[in-house]
Amino acid sequence: MSNERIFNFSAGPSVLPLSVLEQAAAEMTNYRGSGMSVMEMSHRSKVYLSIFEEVKADLKRIMKIPDTHEILFTPGGATLQFSAVPMNLIGKTGKADYAVTGNFSNLAMKEAKKYGEIHVACSSEDRNHTYIPAQSDISLSPDASYFHYCSNNTIFGTEWKYVPETGDVPIVCDMSSNILSLPVDVSKFGLIYAGVQKNMAPAGAAVVILDKSLAGHELPFTPKLMSYQIMIDGDSMHNTPPCYTIYMLGLVLKWLDTQGGVEGMQKIKAAKAKILYDVIDESKLFIGCADKDARSDMNITFKTDNEELDNKFVKAATLAGFENLKGHRVVGGMRASIYNAMPTVGVEKLAEFMRDFESNN
Ligand code: PMP
C-alpha cells in the first residue's frame, strides 16, 4: 500500500473531497470540544441534533427545496426506495408508469410490480440503453399514481437532459448518480431519492425529498421504517438514523458551497466531462458507448473495438494510478465515474493517459 492517494473513478462508493476527509479525520476522536466522536454520540443529544438540523438546512438551501417538501434520511440505500415508493404512493389508483432507461430503473420497475399494475411508459432497451427517449416517445397513463424515472443511468452512462412533462401525475426520480451536480427545480417533483454514496456521502443512507401531501397513503403492510408519514413524523429518527453518514453529508455540503453550490458544480462537471468526451471524439481508438445527446456528465462510458485492448487499458491505467475504470459487465469496456469530488486534475491526467495509450497502441 502506498501513502499516495490515487485517482478513484469508482461508480460508488466513490471519491470524496480530500478536505472533507481531512476534516472528518481531525474531528474523529473529539468533535469540536464535545469530547467524543460523532460516531459515539446519541442521536438525541443536543450536539448531534445541531449537526442534523444544519445538514437539513444546508441541503434545503443548496437545492432550494420548497416548504411543501420534506427531507428524509432513510436506511437501505436507493434500492429500498424501489420498494418504498410503490408501497407509499401506488395506493391512489393501483397503477404507476415507469421509464426504463437502464439497469436501476428496470430493477425499480420490476420491484414495483409486486405492489400494483405497472406500465412501461418508455424504454431504451432496444439499443442497449444507449439513448434517452424523447418526450414524444413517452406514453403516459392519465390514471397513474406516479411516473418514475432515473435521471442518470450509472452503468450505461446516459443522463436525461430534461424533466418529463407528466401533467397532473407526480414525478418520482431516482437521482442517485447525479444529485447535487446541477440545479433542479424540486417543485416539479413529487419525490426525489438518491443513494448517498456517489455525490453526497459515504454509503449507508438514501436521501428522500418528497412532497408532504403524497405521504400518509401507504399500503397497510408497509413496514414502519418505510412509511414516509412515519419518517416525516419522526423527523427521520423513528429509529437510530445513519448518524455518521449524515454528518459526512454535512461536510460535503459545506465543501459544495466552496465550489459555488449546484450552480458552480454544473459548470465544473460539464467542463470535466468535456475533457474526456473530447478525447473520445477525437480518437480513432476509443468509442463512446452512449449517443452524444444523451451522454452523462457523471459516468463516461467508452470502449475500443477489441476486448483484449480494453483489458490492457484498464490494467495499464491501474498501474498508472487511475483506479476502477473497468466498465460494468453489461456494457463492457471502460467507465470513468467523475462525480463532484473528482478533481479536474484527475480528469486531465486521465485524458493525457488515454491519448498516450492511443499513440502506443
Ligand atoms: N439507482 C442508481 C441510479 C444507482 O446508480 C444505484 C447504485 N449504483 C442504485 C440505484 C442502487 O443504490 P443502492 O446501492 O444505494 O441501493
Side-chain angles (χ1 to χ4, degrees):
M1 284 287 192
S2 126
N3 289 326
E4 291 283 307
R5 278 179 59 83
I6 47 97
F7 292 115
N8 177 11
F9 294 91
S10 166
S14 43
V15 58
L16 285 161
L18 181 58
S19 62
V20 165
L21 295 174
E22 286 170 345
Q23 190 178 345
E27 294 177 343
M28 179 59 74
T29 57
N30 185 350
Y31 173 78
R32 300 185 198 177
S34 66
M36 56 184 148
S37 169
V38 175
M39 292 186 189
E40 301 170 299
M41 288 175 186
S42 161
H43 58 295
R44 311 263 180 217
S45 65
K46 218 170 153 186
V47 55
Y48 187 74
L49 286 177
S50 74
I51 296 173
F52 184 86
E53 289 309 326
E54 194 167 341
V55 177
K56 271 183 83 174
D58 283 345
L59 187 61
K60 187 173 162 79
R61 171 178 55 78
I62 288 172
M63 288 187 70
K64 298 192 174 70
I65 298 171
D67 290 338
T68 45
H69 286 56
E70 181 63 59
I71 300 168
L72 302 177
F73 302 106
T74 64
T79 303
L80 202 68
Q81 298 309 310
F82 296 170
S83 325
V85 164
M87 280 183 180
N88 283 271
L89 306 185
I90 210 164
K92 199 170 153 201
T93 64
K95 297 178 183 178
D97 280 357
Y98 276 71
V100 175
T101 57
N103 176 65
F104 295 105
S105 50
N106 190 41
L107 292 176
M109 182 274 289
K110 283 189 176 152
E111 179 65 14
K113 279 186 170 172
K114 292 181 186 167
Y115 306 104
E117 195 182 313
I118 302 303
H119 166 67
V120 175
C122 62
S123 167
S124 53
E125 201 186 352
D126 58 331
R127 287 205 285 119
N128 197 27
H129 301 306
T130 48
Y131 72 103
I132 294 294
Q135 175 75 46
S136 54
D137 297 331
I138 305 176
S139 88
L140 295 165
S141 320
D143 59 345
S145 299
Y146 61 91
F147 167 86
H148 178 283
Y149 79 110
C150 173
S151 56
N152 186 78
N153 299 289
T154 321
I155 290 177
F156 294 91
T158 60
E159 190 168 9
W160 288 69
K161 307 293 175 186
Y162 68 101
V163 177
E165 291 288 339
T166 60
D168 291 335
V169 175
I171 300 176
V172 175
C173 185
D174 175 359
M175 286 192 192
S176 294
S177 51
N178 69 350
I179 195 164
L180 297 179
S181 73
L182 74 175
V184 292
D185 179 354
V186 175
S187 69
K188 284 189 176 172
F189 295 87
L191 190 150
I192 292 167
Y193 66 94
V196 295
Q197 65 274 21
K198 299 155 198 301
N199 269 342
M200 299 187 114
V207 165
V208 175
I209 301 161
L210 84 156
D211 182 335
K212 284 177 275 194
S213 69
L214 295 178
H217 308 285
E218 67 268 26
L219 301 174
F221 51 78
T222 304
K224 273 182 162 181
L225 265 186
M226 292 167 74
S227 154
Y228 293 139
Q229 191 61 57
I230 288 177
M231 290 295 278
I232 291 171
D233 292 345
D235 199 9
S236 300
M237 293 210 192
H238 183 72
N239 75 332
T240 314
C243 301
Y244 196 78
T245 292
I246 294 168
Y247 154 78
M248 287 294 287
L249 170 59
L251 298 187
V252 169
L253 293 174
K254 297 291 186 205
W255 169 83
L256 196 61
D257 278 337
T258 70
Q259 309 297 301
V262 283
E263 292 80 11
M265 192 46 70
Q266 183 174 33
K267 292 190 191 107
I268 295 169
K269 63 104 186 179
K272 283 193 298 187
K274 185 173 183 312
I275 293 170
L276 293 184
Y277 285 128
D278 280 353
V279 174
I280 292 165
D281 290 342
E282 287 159 19
S283 166
K284 292 196 175 65
L285 181 70
F286 298 113
I287 308 153
C289 298
D291 282 8
K292 279 191 186 177
D293 62 357
R295 284 169 163 177
S296 165
D297 283 352
M298 297 278 107
N299 311 96
I300 317 285
T301 49
F302 59 102
K303 51 172 89 174
T304 71
D305 61 5
N306 175 334
E307 211 181 308
E308 258 170 48
L309 204 53
D310 289 348
N311 291 336
K312 185 176 171 189
F313 176 86
V314 172
K315 254 191 201 158
T318 306
L319 284 175
F322 307 101
E323 297 250 7
N324 295 312
L325 282 168
K326 193 170 169 53
H328 192 277
R329 64 188 180 280
V330 303
V331 180
M334 282 73 75
R335 170 176 54 173
S337 296
I338 52 169
Y339 297 120
N340 287 355
M342 169 56 66
T344 301
V345 57
V347 175
E348 286 167 348
K349 290 207 165 149
L350 177 61
E352 194 184 310
F353 179 82
M354 288 169 71
R355 289 204 173 94
D356 287 348
F357 185 86
E358 176 158 2
S359 317
N360 299 327
N361 288 276

